[in-house]
Amino acid sequence: MGGPAMALRWAARGRAPEQWAAERRRELEARSRQQWELASRSFARAAICCARQARWSARRVCRSPATVRREAEEAAARLEQRRARLRRLLGEEREALAAELRERRGGGPGAAGMRQRCEELRASREERRRTVAEQLLYEHWKKNNAELREVTLLSF
């Protein structure tokens, strides 16, 4: 079953032998990679379990009630120190935020300049609006004034 018969068989399947071999190789590599990942996860999980077991069994073997009480008091003291530090940091952060808000609302050095610039822009905008309105009123008056129409008709 040499060349032509083999070529016909692969042509009937729609793939060349090289494509089939490459696909097979990719599948094997993917399966191998997946097996390595599973083994790696298993070893990592086992290492975590062993470390926890060692810690749990080593610390509690020979502890007296006085030691347990002292450790609990130390833990409570550390917790209270941490809470005090966090309260202080939170207070400082609130003060900084309040100062920043005061500065942005108008307590800062640039606030007066910004207010003045805002007033100037508002005044110029109002002045432009007023001149446009006057011009429009004048044009309307010229169009609708009967005396002016008579004067313009007599002058021609």
Side-chain angles (χ1 to χ4, degrees), residues 15-128:
R15 292 184 290 192
E18 296 83 19
Q19 290 175 337
W20 180 82
E23 185 178 314
R24 176 80 176 143
R25 187 172 44 253
R26 281 193 299 272
E27 288 175 3
L28 290 174
E29 288 172 359
R31 187 176 301 132
S32 175
R33 198 176 315 113
Q34 187 179 20
Q35 287 175 344
W36 274 107
E37 288 174 3
L38 288 173
S40 174
R41 275 193 233 133
S42 174
F43 283 123
R45 195 175 302 124
I48 290 170
C49 289
C50 287
R52 285 183 183 167
Q53 225 172 14
R55 188 177 62 203
W56 290 337
S57 62
R59 288 182 75 192
R60 302 186 193 274
V61 172
C62 297
R63 293 188 330 165
S64 67
T67 305
V68 172
R69 193 177 324 108
R70 189 184 77 242
E71 287 176 356
E73 290 171 358
E74 289 173 357
R78 281 194 309 269
L79 180 63
E80 189 56 39
Q81 288 173 352
R82 184 165 185 255
R83 284 179 179 166
R85 190 180 80 235
L86 288 173
R87 268 190 228 103
R88 182 180 46 82
L89 289 173
L90 184 60
E92 290 173 1
E93 190 173 310
R94 282 183 182 158
E95 290 172 8
L97 179 62
E100 183 179 343
L101 285 174
R102 279 192 303 272
E103 183 179 309
R104 288 189 180 197
R105 285 187 182 159
M114 286 192 292
R115 280 194 195 109
Q116 183 181 0
R117 177 76 176 136
C118 182
E119 290 297 324
E120 290 172 0
L121 290 172
R122 187 176 290 132
S124 66
R125 186 173 54 232
E126 182 65 26
E127 185 63 31
R128 279 195 308 268

Side-chain angles (χ1 to χ4, degrees), residues 137-153:
L137 280 173
Y138 181 70
E139 293 295 324
H140 181 71
W141 178 76
K142 275 177 39 177
K143 284 182 181 179
N144 295 328
N145 193 346
E147 294 175 4
L148 275 178
R149 269 190 257 148
E150 288 177 17
V151 170
T152 53
L153 288 176

